[in-house]
Amino acid sequence: MDDDYRIKPFEGDPELLCLPTVFGYDNATANEVFKWKTYPKCSKLFPEFTQALFLDTKNNVLRMNCSGSFKGKYVLGTSSFNESFILEDAFNNKVKTYKGPVKLKAGEEWALGTCNPNKDNYFEQIQYKFRKKPQAESRALSYQRQTQKTEQKKLVILLLTIDSVSRRHFFRKLPESVRTLNHLNNETYQVFDFKIHNVIGDNSGANQVPVFQGSRQVVYAGNKDLDGTTEGLYHGDALKGTSLVSYLKDRGYVSLMGFEFCQKYVLEYMGDKPDVDHLVGNLFCGARKYGGFNFEKSALGQRCLGPKMSHYYPLEYIKDFTKGYSKANQFIYMHLTAGHEATGNHIQTLDEDLSEFLESYLSAVKDLGMEAAVFLHGDHGMRYGEWYKSEPAFQEHRLPALFFIGSKSLLDRVSGSYDTLDHNTERLVSKLDIHLTIKHLAGVSLGYTEDELGSFYYNWKVNSLRNSVSLLFEKITNFRDCLDAMVPNYWCSCANMNVVQKSLYNTTSKVSRLIHQLLDYVLLTINEQTHTNPKLPYNSLCQKVTLKEILNVYAQRITFQDESFKIEFSINEHPRARFEAYLVIGTIKKLLEERDDADAYDPIPIVYNNQRVKARLMFLKRLDKYEGICEDLSVALKVNPSLCICNSVPHIDKVYPKLIQKLYSDFKVVLSHQETTCEETCSSRNMHCEARYAELLNNCYSLKQHTNVQDCVLGTFLGFKGKVGILTNNYKDFCQVEEAGLVCPCK
């Protein structure tokens, strides 16, 4: 198993109707965007750490054992007897000074504390202990005694969701986990890698809630006017017993649902008390208040809770849960957020722990005499930072990872499952297929015959899941497209855009008027971010850009009244600059009004087909290479370098003389003779030639400022074709030399 996309139907088979032309960033681009970063172990941040806080669940007591005169302070978690998910502002358990053993009253499973009397936050002591609920096991075993037809191994169905990870990014940033998945292809387990696993919406809620409810349409369950607050949540089970967890619970499964964050992303559709036996999540509300934990995507630091990464605790809880309920079938949903941040690098901190978890957990499942069906998947790819700036990046959002790990003893009981799964790894798969696969697996675990399962399967398909498949029971046809898989066209990874004929936008047609309307909006956006950027003096760094030529236009229909356009164009202010803009027009609120992506552009009202609709620029990409002096200046002044067409160096020097001087001082200015090259000139001085700074140095302004040359003729030097001009005492009279000339930049 490796990061390849060699997807090809058998000879004689029809071509796949859904086969993306791009699957994400190529390796070279990815290495630039996601430069490898090394994160230390959290234990190194606490070099003298000693565990001093203990939850004794057997005796139902909390103890602390701090050295020194201060006995410590602590805060207890929420009750596990009748637990519901909360938001950060609802966690109000108080910090108390430890005076001696504390009797636990509400089945608390976690506590935070510190042995430092001066700490009010960043508590270094943490413990999370799973507590078995006898009533949950009793219910499951009672169902088993009444309905089990034949003796079966108990099954663990685990949905392990890694937030914001594409298939490409999984291979890119989790190499140890990839090796572990390859090693798991052994006599006990089989691993399947789904290459066209397509999102069905934008965010976690839009993608994960359908897995539970079995339909794509998700509905905000709380009070929209109080969105983001505790009062805005739906208090209770918003799906009212109709979800997948309720379905499994009614068939003798014990259940666990957990989230490594303290937010509303999924809960706003499911309510604060889904129909499950165990909840994991409120720890992170307490940890945010007292442990320095921040799961927001804008938080760029390493997410340690005490001497461990924050994801360590829910992974350990899964192990204890499965061991504690080894006599029962289990359904577990756990949502990890190491990838929920803006750099794309923090997910590396998950690799070692995930690899260890997969090995130890699946080994334990085998030793317990159980079977496993693990869906290791991303809810979606990254959707912030650079990810809406290009089509390959957007594709990584559309194509999250999906690996299925199944016990061979389980797969052996489903005729043809190996071949079916292998076939489906190279076909379009959606979240709704996961829903139906789990229902099918539950039937297998309960001992239903193939005829009985076939009957159930037929009813599921007829009543609500007509477009879904069980990934190990039904082969997906080569003709499946996004419409068949219930994937909206905008999120479809294989939806091709159609070329718009140039005659349509080079005339006065309504299409031409629309395209120019959209381009006016795009150019305004560029200039607002660069030329008139409020953080910079007016017209100091970047020029105002104007349209030169429309190069290509592509269009795609999303719905009957919604369309998307990709427009490639050039500008007058730079001879090589080419841009690509991707826009959506229409009425889809999720696309045009409700996007919470910080990098999304503001929508504008337009009139199209005699209707008032909205247009939104979704991403804007520079097609030509723009590295060089302008990029460096833009980065230094925190302006998007891909959108900035810089003014001349003399112009910028008037406003930012220190910045220009620093760039000059970073390089040695060397006069080269006509018969030598820059490389030869610099190497003779044991220096490295920096061709990208030719633009900075090879103009008369630079020569006049940084050499003793007063009058000279510049022609074609060093193998470059430069403009010919005469350097006079007034550099403004001189025509700037392009790309090369008499001066070599050496570093």
Side-chain angles (χ1 to χ4, degrees), residues 192-471:
F192 298 89
D193 170 16
F194 291 84
K195 298 177 180 178
I196 318 178
H197 171 222
N198 208 115
V199 298
I200 56 177
D202 187 13
N203 52 27
S204 297
N207 283 294
Q208 296 308 101
V209 175
V211 175
F212 291 101
Q213 68 182 24
S215 63
R216 184 176 65 81
Q217 192 63 42
V218 296
V219 179
Y220 191 93
N223 184 341
K224 195 69 175 176
D225 293 334
L226 299 174
D227 183 14
T229 68
T230 301
E231 294 75 17
L233 280 181
Y234 182 96
H235 295 288
D237 176 19
L239 300 182
K240 302 188 187 327
T242 63
S243 72
L244 184 63
V245 284
S246 299
Y247 177 88
L248 295 171
K249 189 175 178 181
D250 290 345
R251 284 155 183 78
Y253 276 70
V254 290
S255 54
L256 160 65
M257 181 181 289
F259 299 92
E260 190 200 346
F261 52 72
C262 179
Q263 251 295 352
K264 64 181 180 64
Y265 303 122
V266 176
L267 307 179
E268 60 189 359
Y269 307 104
M270 299 184 67
D272 69 348
K273 196 173 178 61
D275 188 19
V276 294
D277 297 308
H278 287 254
L279 302 178
V280 170
N282 292 337
L283 162 68
F284 302 102
C285 299
R288 179 156 183 171
K289 191 167 186 177
Y290 297 111
F293 176 70
N294 192 337
F295 56 87
E296 292 294 348
K297 57 195 176 189
S298 57
L300 302 182
Q302 188 172 349
R303 297 172 186 172
C304 296
L305 281 183
K308 302 288 185 181
M309 289 296 304
S310 59
H311 54 250
Y312 168 85
Y313 303 98
L315 290 176
E316 288 298 301
Y317 196 99
I318 292 173
K319 294 179 184 178
D320 294 338
F321 178 90
T322 292
K323 184 178 179 181
Y325 291 115
S326 60
K327 296 179 181 179
N329 289 320
Q330 303 172 17
F331 174 77
I332 302 169
Y333 179 88
M334 192 63 73
H335 196 114
L336 306 179
T337 59
H340 187 257
E341 54 85 57
T343 69
N345 287 322
H346 186 265
I347 195 171
Q348 294 167 205
T349 63
L350 177 64
D351 193 23
E352 185 178 335
D353 290 331
L354 177 61
S355 175
E356 187 281 329
F357 169 80
L358 291 172
E359 286 187 349
S360 62
Y361 180 71
L362 290 171
S363 177
V365 168
K366 176 188 174 184
D367 292 343
L368 290 167
M370 305 178 75
E371 295 174 326
V374 179
F375 297 84
L376 176 60
H377 68 148
D379 52 352
H380 51 75
M382 285 183 73
R383 47 190 289 276
Y384 25 83
E386 293 295 315
W387 286 66
Y388 268 118
K389 303 285 176 68
S390 71
E391 184 66 15
F394 199 15
Q395 284 292 80
E396 295 217 17
H397 168 73
R398 290 165 166 155
L399 293 168
L402 171 59
F403 305 96
F404 175 73
I405 309 166
S407 295
K408 286 188 172 180
S409 57
L410 172 70
L411 300 179
D412 288 342
R413 299 203 301 277
V414 182
S415 297
S417 62
Y418 294 94
D419 182 52
T420 302
L421 280 161
D422 187 58
H423 171 91
N424 289 338
T425 59
E426 296 189 348
R427 302 300 185 274
L428 174 64
V429 169
S430 88
K431 302 293 183 181
L432 296 175
D433 297 324
I434 296 175
H435 174 94
L436 186 52
T437 304
I438 291 172
K439 279 189 171 178
H440 178 235
L441 284 167
V444 176
S445 74
L446 296 173
Y448 294 124
T449 66
E450 288 197 358
D451 286 343
E452 288 172 323
L453 274 173
S455 178
F456 284 130
Y457 193 76
Y458 174 80
N459 288 328
W460 292 328
K461 298 268 287 186
V462 167
N463 291 328
S464 60
L465 296 164
R466 184 181 304 275
N467 297 84
S468 304
V469 303
S470 165
L471 296 174

Side-chain angles (χ1 to χ4, degrees), residues 472-510:
L472 66 161
F473 185 70
E474 180 180 357
K475 284 188 175 181
I476 296 168
T477 74
N478 289 24
F479 299 107
R480 192 186 210 194
D481 61 11
C482 285
L483 182 63
D484 293 327
M486 301 294 289
V487 175
N489 210 13
Y490 179 70
W491 304 113
C492 181
S493 61
C494 53
N496 295 320
M497 304 194 82
N498 299 311
V499 176
V500 177
Q501 296 299 320
K502 289 193 175 184
S503 59
L504 290 176
Y505 54 82
N506 285 334
T507 63
T508 57
S509 68
K510 66 177 182 179

Side-chain angles (χ1 to χ4, degrees), residues 639-652:
V639 171
N640 185 343
S642 68
L643 302 184
C644 182
I645 306 299
C646 282
N647 282 302
S648 67
V649 171
H651 182 103
I652 299 170

